[in-house]
Every structure is written in structure tokens, then in C-alpha cells.
Amino acid sequence: MANVQIGDCCSLNPLELYEQVTAQGEKVRALKTEKAPKDEIDDAVKLLLSLKLSYKTSTGQEYKAGSPPTDFTPVSNGPGSTEDDDFVDPWTVQTSNAKGVDYDKLIVRFGSSKIDKDLINRIERVTGHKPHHFLRRGIFFSHRDMNQILDAYENKKPFYLYTGRGPSSEAMHVGHLIPFIFTKWLQEVFNVPLVIQLTDDEKYLWKDLTVEKAYQYAIENVKDIIACGFDVNKTFIFSDLHYLGQSPEFYKNIVKIQKHVTFNQVKGIFGFTDSDCIGKISFPAIQAAPSFSTSFPHIFNSKKDIQCLIPCAIDQDPYFRMTRDVAPRIGYPKPALLHSIFFPALQGAQTKMSASDPNSSIFLTDTPKQIKTKINKHAFSGGKDTVEEHRKYGGNCDVDVSYMYLTFFLEDDDKLEQIKQAYTSGALLTGELKKTLIETLQPMIATHQQRRKQITEEMVKEFMTPRKLAFDF
């Protein structure tokens, strides 16, 4: 672990401070054992005392070796938040703002970094590919350690991709495609292995589902994921309910993580209560474990130093903040992350889409007629009440769901800008904007449905069989 400058301590959370104190204490002991020069030992002791003071200031507790902080800073809203605050956790997204969640505030609250123009330009330089429109338009807007991944790539060091899906329904909606569309692009431009986790165990624990139904949903979702066009030679897809019984190394990592996270910490991070079943309390370790390459010995030949990059929606970040805190304590590199914004419900950006509400979503099983009806009937409009007012004052793209959807699925930057200008000026009416979205989504979903029809049970089995991929480690 690198030395920490005293001025950096204020940016660390309690668990990170605890880790720094522990590491510095070990360094002091090592220096004394090696009989290092007195001034070197004195400097190390001063830094140790400073870190201990910062830890006490942050936690209100004295540092105790072997006793991590009992109160971990929560990443979602605490009791003191105001009514105007956004609420974001892995299961709930709420905001009172018609424009949606304030992502700049979320970056500050979660302690991540904004994906800026410099980073996008660097991705283009390093890969030799034009950045995906999800990057250009700020759909993936936040990151943790992406520059570290680019450093590794430039130095010919391997990394791998990890993303996932919680199979809460048999049919996925268009919002569920976002991480897979982007992950496929990342895999193609970097040429790296990919693991995809289906958390059917999570859905059994949180939803009113049988174990068998949760696993069935996982298999059906796998067919939609394969239909996105992933390469079977470079991609391993697994269901927790199935893979956990096949992989001792995966389970060993889960246990290591569980040992290093306390009940108080998961309560602080995830908002668990004393009434939650113990399955929920232990589940975060299962979502964390794929972040470590030793969970997949058939792919990585048991190497433990291969870093992971996780593209996901930012509501999943609490899992991986926990993972990043634990990783150095169990000898693994911290996973890097790329965060996306939420895909809005048809009724507006105040909430994300729900697989349980058919009218909040455009599903991948919808017919062209259903797509047209849902958009025309339910898509929240940023237009004015009358044609006259709209022609005079124009529409508001910041709250118009049809325009928001086009930012995700209309790849032509120039056409999107023309639509924005025309709608904002009043030249384009709401009905015409909705028509453009319908004409964009209908062929996209029809094409996906055709690809999905070609997915056989044998293909699913091939993707989900633990095996060596087309990489040597």
C-alpha cells in the first residue's frame, strides 16, 4: 500500500482510514525489526500517530487493531437528509425533480469521479476507437480508477470486465440493455474476458419468488443477454444458484469478504435492519466476489492480481464501495467502475423503470403496436398544453421522456441535435417527437427478438459452462 500524505486523510472514509493505520503500524514494526535509521522510524511513527488522530476524529473511537470501525459512512441518504434530496440505493431510486437525479450531487455523495472530456479523449487515444455515444452523451458519467485501467492496458497488463443482472422477471425491458450494450463495446475495443453474474439468489431473497422461478428467470434473461451479441469464446455467464455449487474458489472469496465486513457496516451501507433475513445481510459478499479473478480459476489460471472493471448503474455502487474497502485487506486489487445514469420510466425521470409495472417500461417482448401505444399514451411530455403555446415557447428536452430515450438509442449525434433544436424552438411537436422514438425503437426491438429466437438451450449451456476462454493467463 502506498504511503498516505497527512493532508489526504480527510478524503478517506472510516474503513479506509482504519486500513491506513493498520498498514502504517505494520510498516513501523517492520522498520524497527530491520533496525532502520532512527529518523526514518521517527517519520513513520509521526505519520502513524497522525493517522490514528484522523481516525479518532472521523469515528469518535480509538483505533484498535483487529477491530474495524463499527459505524461505516452510509452511501445513501441518512436520516438527516432533506425532502429535496435524491434517494438512491440498490433497490430504490427516488427524486422529486422532473429532470431526474442530480448526478453531480451523487458523485460528491458517493465519492466517485466525473468522466470528463480528458478521460473520454484518453479512452479514444488508448483504444483507437471513437468513444461510444454513452460516453459522449454522459450516459456513463462517473468512474472509479478508470485511469488505472488505461494505464494497465497501455502497459500490456491484463484486466477483465464484470457486469450483471438481477433476474426479477422473465422479460427484460430496454433499460436493462444499457450496461450490456456498453459492456459489449468495451469488450470489443479492449479485447478482454467478460464475466456476467445473474443474481437469482438475490431475487429469491428480496422478491416473492421460489428458488426454481428465480433460476428460470435467470435462464430466460441469459437468452436476452446472449442476443446482445456477446462472443462465447470471450464471455462466461453464470447464475449464482448454479455456479456457487461448482466453484470452491468462488465460495472461498465470498467467505473471505464476509469475514471482513461487520453487520454494522452492512447496515450502514445498505440500510438493513434487524428484521431482514440473514440471507440479505450476507448477499453483498456474493455480488462482490466476481470482482476478484481467483473466483474464476478456469479463466484466469488462479492468478490473483488481475484487476476488474465493472460497468453498472450507479445504484449498484454501494456493493463495490464495500468491495473496494475489503480488497486490499484480503490481498486483491480494488475493482474499477464505470457508472451509468438511470433509465427513466415512461412516466418521467423521478424513478427508474420497473420490470413489475408493464406500463412503466418498453419490454423486449413488446410488439410494434404495444411500443407505439405505450409511448403515445404514457411517455411523459415536455411539450406545452396547446399547439399554439408549444409553437411559441417550445418544449423542454430536460424532462421529455421521448427525447431522453433518444439520447440512449439514437446513435446519430447530428440528428439528435437537430431534434433537440427543433423541439426546443417549437418547430417539432410532441407527437412528432414520439413518432421519431417509435420509429427508432420498433426496428431495434424487432431485431433483438429475431436474434433471441435463434438462441438455443445448447447455446445457453455453452455460455454458462465454466471453461477456459480465448485468453492465456
Side-chain angles (χ1 to χ4, degrees):
M1 185 176 289
N3 287 345
V4 174
Q5 299 301 314
I6 293 172
D8 293 337
C9 295
C10 61
S11 65
L12 300 176
N13 67 44
L15 194 52
E16 288 170 331
L17 276 170
Y18 173 86
E19 291 167 0
Q20 296 289 7
V21 175
T22 301
Q24 190 63 19
E26 290 171 356
K27 181 176 181 181
V28 169
R29 283 191 292 276
L31 289 172
K32 288 180 178 178
T33 301
E34 295 163 4
K35 297 183 179 178
K38 184 176 184 300
D39 57 346
E40 189 176 347
I41 294 174
D42 287 346
D43 286 344
V45 170
K46 284 179 185 177
L47 179 54
L48 176 62
L49 294 174
S50 173
L51 286 166
K52 284 185 175 181
L53 180 61
S54 296
Y55 178 82
K56 184 175 181 180
T57 301
S58 175
T59 65
Q61 305 168 10
E62 296 285 353
Y63 170 82
K64 287 185 180 180
S67 299
T70 55
D71 293 315
F72 189 85
T73 306
V75 296
S76 57
N77 288 12
S81 61
T82 67
E83 291 181 3
D84 291 334
D85 276 342
D86 301 328
F87 183 90
V88 175
D89 72 12
W91 307 280
T92 308
V93 178
Q94 293 176 342
T95 178
S96 58
N97 191 331
K99 295 180 182 179
V101 171
D102 187 327
Y103 292 103
D104 288 334
K105 282 185 179 179
L106 210 54
I107 285 174
V108 173
R109 188 188 307 159
F110 280 21
S112 59
S113 301
K114 190 177 182 68
I115 295 178
D116 56 18
K117 189 66 178 172
D118 288 343
L119 181 57
I120 294 172
N121 289 341
R122 188 182 178 200
I123 291 171
E124 182 170 15
R125 285 197 310 274
V126 169
T127 64
H129 291 266
K130 181 180 179 180
H132 195 279
H133 69 273
F134 286 178
L135 283 171
R136 302 196 305 269
R137 297 174 189 171
I139 289 168
F140 275 81
F141 71 100
S142 163
H143 76 100
R144 296 186 188 278
D145 291 343
M146 185 60 191
N147 278 305
Q148 205 175 88
I149 292 290
L150 296 175
D151 290 344
Y153 185 75
E154 286 184 313
N155 291 316
K156 311 297 182 187
K157 292 182 179 178
F159 72 93
Y160 70 102
L161 292 163
Y162 157 40
T163 193
R165 159 84 182 125
S168 57
S169 64
E170 189 167 335
M172 291 166 57
H173 59 60
V174 287
H176 293 139
L177 290 179
I178 303 309
F180 297 111
I181 291 170
F182 188 59
T183 299
K184 181 173 179 287
W185 180 81
L186 289 170
Q187 185 183 40
E188 288 171 351
V189 299
F190 287 107
N191 190 32
V192 291
L194 164 64
V195 297
I196 299 175
Q197 180 185 45
L198 277 293
T199 56
D200 40 9
D201 51 344
E202 175 205 15
K203 294 309 173 186
Y204 169 70
L205 292 167
W206 263 266
K207 303 282 186 180
D208 184 19
L209 295 174
T210 64
V211 169
E212 292 76 18
K213 182 61 73 173
Y215 182 69
Q216 178 193 331
Y217 286 170
I219 297 303
E220 292 305 313
N221 285 189
V222 167
K223 294 174 184 176
D224 277 309
I225 293 167
I226 295 172
C228 292
F230 289 106
D231 185 340
V232 69
N233 296 310
K234 300 178 181 180
T235 307
F236 173 52
I237 304 175
F238 65 99
S239 135
D240 287 342
L241 289 173
H242 191 246
Y243 184 58
L244 192 53
Q246 296 180 306
S247 177
E249 299 307 315
F250 185 46
Y251 183 61
K252 286 175 188 176
N253 278 338
I254 291 169
V255 173
K256 287 178 186 177
I257 297 161
Q258 288 171 338
K259 184 173 181 176
H260 288 82
V261 182
T262 68
F263 180 41
N264 277 336
Q265 286 166 0
V266 292
K267 282 200 295 186
I269 298 168
F270 300 101
F272 296 144
T273 69
D274 293 344
S275 300
D276 283 309
C277 71
I278 59 173
K280 290 183 180 181
I281 295 156
S282 62
F283 171 75
I286 300 174
Q287 184 158 323
S291 306
F292 306 133
S293 56
T294 53
S295 292
F296 309 100
H298 52 282
I299 300 174
F300 301 109
N301 199 24
S302 300
K303 291 190 175 178
K304 62 184 295 185
D305 59 347
I306 302 171
Q307 193 174 12
C308 172
L309 173 61
I310 306 170
C312 62
I314 196 165
D315 60 338
Q316 298 302 300
D317 187 70
Y319 285 110
F320 301 114
R321 277 194 62 181
M322 181 199 78
T323 309
R324 285 167 57 84
D325 285 325
V326 170
R329 300 166 66 199
I330 58 176
Y332 294 133
K334 293 182 179 184
L337 288 101
L338 290 168
H339 300 126
S340 73
I341 63 174
F342 302 119
F343 195 84
L346 281 170
Q347 288 82 357
Q350 283 91 342
T351 60
K352 62 178 180 178
M353 271 188 167
S354 169
S356 59
D357 180 359
N359 290 324
S360 76
S361 316
I362 303 293
F363 283 85
L364 300 180
T365 52
D366 284 347
T367 65
K369 183 178 179 181
Q370 286 174 317
I371 294 167
K372 181 178 180 180
T373 300
K374 283 184 179 182
I375 292 171
N376 282 331
K377 187 174 181 180
H378 298 292
F380 185 80
S381 170
K384 298 299 182 284
D385 292 337
T386 66
V387 172
E388 292 75 17
E389 286 182 343
H390 187 87
R391 294 289 190 204
K392 184 175 181 180
Y393 300 110
N396 184 354
C397 288
D398 290 338
V399 301
D400 193 289
V401 167
S402 295
Y403 179 77
M404 290 180 190
Y405 280 25
L406 286 171
T407 66
F408 285 88
F409 297 117
L410 183 63
E411 294 188 21
D412 189 323
D413 289 339
D414 292 336
K415 186 174 180 182
L416 185 68
E417 181 59 29
Q418 290 169 8
I419 290 169
K420 183 176 183 179
Q421 296 285 354
Y423 193 61
T424 304
S425 69
L428 186 72
L429 298 174
T430 296
E432 294 168 328
L433 178 59
K434 288 186 174 185
K435 184 172 183 287
T436 301
L437 176 61
I438 292 165
E439 291 171 349
T440 301
L441 287 183
Q442 283 177 334
M444 185 192 89
I445 292 175
T447 300
H448 179 89
Q449 290 169 353
Q450 279 301 117
R451 286 198 302 259
R452 193 187 191 281
K453 282 180 183 177
Q454 297 168 11
I455 307 300
T456 64
E457 297 299 327
E458 192 58 37
M459 291 169 69
V460 171
K461 184 178 179 181
E462 189 176 2
F463 268 95
M464 297 186 73
T465 298
R467 66 204 184 281
K468 183 182 182 300
L469 300 181
F471 302 91
D472 292 317
F473 291 96

